């Protein structure tokens, strides 16, 4: 508990079980002013439970969590108006109109933002008089974002905010979150199982599985720490014998493709890998076409730490 104080969110050894299921099993992390932090993990990792505890919707069994300096176990009422929650779109009142909901939300906060401008920003200005129930899934999600920031909150919670959005909607929402947080004293915590979202939006990512923190850091730092190095692959002749490549540093696999083969290598450092590849090419005379060099991604880090592909998660 020594490091407590000053953060937007401070979580120490947080625990929550449902019967025999340990959903959150001793989680610790912080969110500082100016940060967008992503909880990245497969389904069932405990992300939503953690968020709901921090939103004041569930009580933890153990550990401690401060939100805007307030201990969640004492209730978040004193800081409630400084928190914005992007609700799952299914939680919106279906019978109200878009404009009515916006008015209602703005009434709950001491310093609300301009509701008309917000609806315009999320592309729903023409839907002001439409019933929420008549909106598409993507429109509801954009409305949920506008409502969450209507009160001009210091801290935003987003639970899988772009799960139902098309690419344009995702980009809009990412922009809105970034604008709200970057260079300000505000912050956002989101859950996602999209590596792309984590990489695009989060200043830091906490990888969680089975209710535990596996790693935390900037996307680049996580890649450098857990999956340093480079992947190199190229195409060569069909039916190239695997023995030709097996002795080359970092050889991973030979993948037969129609009319050719693709050879994959990975190594901690790119330069020695390319040097030994070139030496092998001189010795064996194989073709190198469509060479590609890639750095590891957060997805590789995730696979290494959890043993699972993020897309299956
Ligand atoms: P995530 O958001 O990462 O998918 P959750 O926090 O929703 O994870 O769930 C973590 C674990 O707790 C899962 O095993 C899930 O089945 C269980 N769980 C979540 N909510 C409940 C609940 N209300 N009752 C019983 N078990 C639950």
């Amino acid at each position: 508990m020594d490091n407590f104080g000053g953060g937007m969110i401070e979580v120490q050894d947080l625990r929550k079980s449902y019967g025999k299921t340990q959903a959150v099993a001793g989680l610790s992390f912080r969110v500082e002013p100016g940060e967008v932090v992503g909880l990245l993990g497969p389904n069932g990792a405990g992300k939503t439970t953690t968020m709901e505890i921090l939103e004041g919707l569930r009580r933890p069994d153990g550990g401690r969590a401060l939100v805007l300096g307030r201990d969640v176990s004492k209730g978040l009422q004193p800081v409630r108006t400084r928190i914005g929650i992007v609700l799952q779109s299914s939680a919106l009142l279906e019978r109200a109109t878009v404009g009515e909901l916006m008015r209602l939300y703005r009434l709950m906060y001491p310093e609300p933002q301009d509701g008309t401008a917000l609806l315009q920003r999320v592309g729903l200005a023409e839907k002001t008089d439409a019933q929420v129930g008549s909106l598409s899934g993507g429109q509801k999600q954009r409305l949920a974002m506008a409502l969450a920031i209507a009160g001009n909150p210091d801290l935003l919670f987003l639970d899988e905010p772009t799960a139902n959005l098309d690419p344009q909607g995702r980009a809009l929402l990412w922009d809105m979150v970034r604008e709200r947080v970057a260079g300000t004293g505000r912050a956002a915590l989101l859950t996602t199982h999209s590596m792309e979202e984590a990489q695009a939006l989060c200043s830091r990512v906490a990888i969680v599985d089975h209710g535990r923190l596996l790693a935390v850091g900037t996307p680049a730092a996580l890649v450098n720490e857990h999956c340093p190095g480079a992947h190199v692959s190229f195409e060569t002749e069909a039916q190239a014998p695997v023995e030709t490549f097996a002795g080359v540093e970092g050889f991973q696999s030979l993948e037969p493709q129609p009319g050719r083969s693709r050879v994959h290598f990975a190594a901690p450092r790119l330069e020695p890998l390319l040097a030994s590849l070139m030496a092998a090419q001189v010795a064996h005379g194989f073709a190198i076409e469509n060479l590609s060099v890639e750095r590891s991604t957060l997805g590789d880090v995730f696979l290494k730490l959890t043993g699972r592909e993020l897309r299956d998660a």
Side-chain angles (χ1 to χ4, degrees), residues 92-146:
L92 297 176
L93 286 172
E94 299 268 307
R95 303 275 291 276
T97 69
V98 169
E100 282 167 351
L101 256 196
M102 180 54 81
R103 275 195 292 283
L104 187 66
Y105 269 68
R106 292 181 70 256
L107 277 176
M108 297 192 288
Y109 296 91
E111 292 171 37
Q113 304 203 74
D114 180 338
T116 310
L118 267 180
L119 289 179
Q120 228 148 25
R121 181 77 212 274
V122 297
L124 293 175
E126 281 112 71
K127 295 285 181 185
T128 303
D129 297 322
Q131 280 197 337
V132 173
S134 74
L135 302 181
S136 72
Q139 288 171 330
K140 282 182 191 165
Q141 210 148 356
R142 282 185 273 134
L143 175 60
M145 177 68 190

Side-chain angles (χ1 to χ4, degrees), residues 268-288:
R269 289 186 54 230
L270 179 63
E271 295 77 9
L273 171 59
L274 284 179
S276 65
L277 203 54
M278 292 309 139
Q281 204 252 348
V282 168
H284 298 285
F286 52 80
I288 294 185

Side-chain angles (χ1 to χ4, degrees), residues 8 39 54 73 78 91 95 102 106 108 133 157 169 197 199-200 237-238 240 258 263 268 270 276 278 283 305 308 311:
M8 303 296 276
L39 298 175
L54 298 176
S73 66
R95 303 275 291 276
M102 180 54 81
R106 292 181 70 256
M108 297 192 288
F157 288 107
E197 181 154 280
Q199 200 126 27
E237 297 90 353
V263 204
L270 179 63
S276 65
M278 292 309 139
L305 293 177
R308 272 180 278 185
R311 62 173 177 276

Side-chain angles (χ1 to χ4, degrees), residues 63-93:
R64 195 168 168 222
L66 301 187
V67 172
L68 297 169
R70 175 83 181 170
D71 194 323
V72 293
S73 66
K74 298 199 171 93
L76 292 177
Q77 201 49 41
V79 294
R80 178 64 65 202
T81 59
R82 295 176 56 203
I83 295 173
I85 300 176
V86 181
L87 294 170
Q88 299 286 327
S89 48
S90 55
L92 297 176
L93 286 172

Side-chain angles (χ1 to χ4, degrees), residues 230 232-234 236 240-254 263-288 291:
V232 170
S233 73
F234 59 84
T236 193
V242 69
E243 298 76 38
T244 308
F245 308 102
V248 181
E249 178 189 348
F251 172 72
Q252 302 243 295
S253 63
L254 182 68
V263 204
H264 297 269
F265 299 85
R269 289 186 54 230
L270 179 63
E271 295 77 9
L273 171 59
L274 284 179
S276 65
L277 203 54
M278 292 309 139
Q281 204 252 348
V282 168
H284 298 285
F286 52 80
I288 294 185
L291 180 81

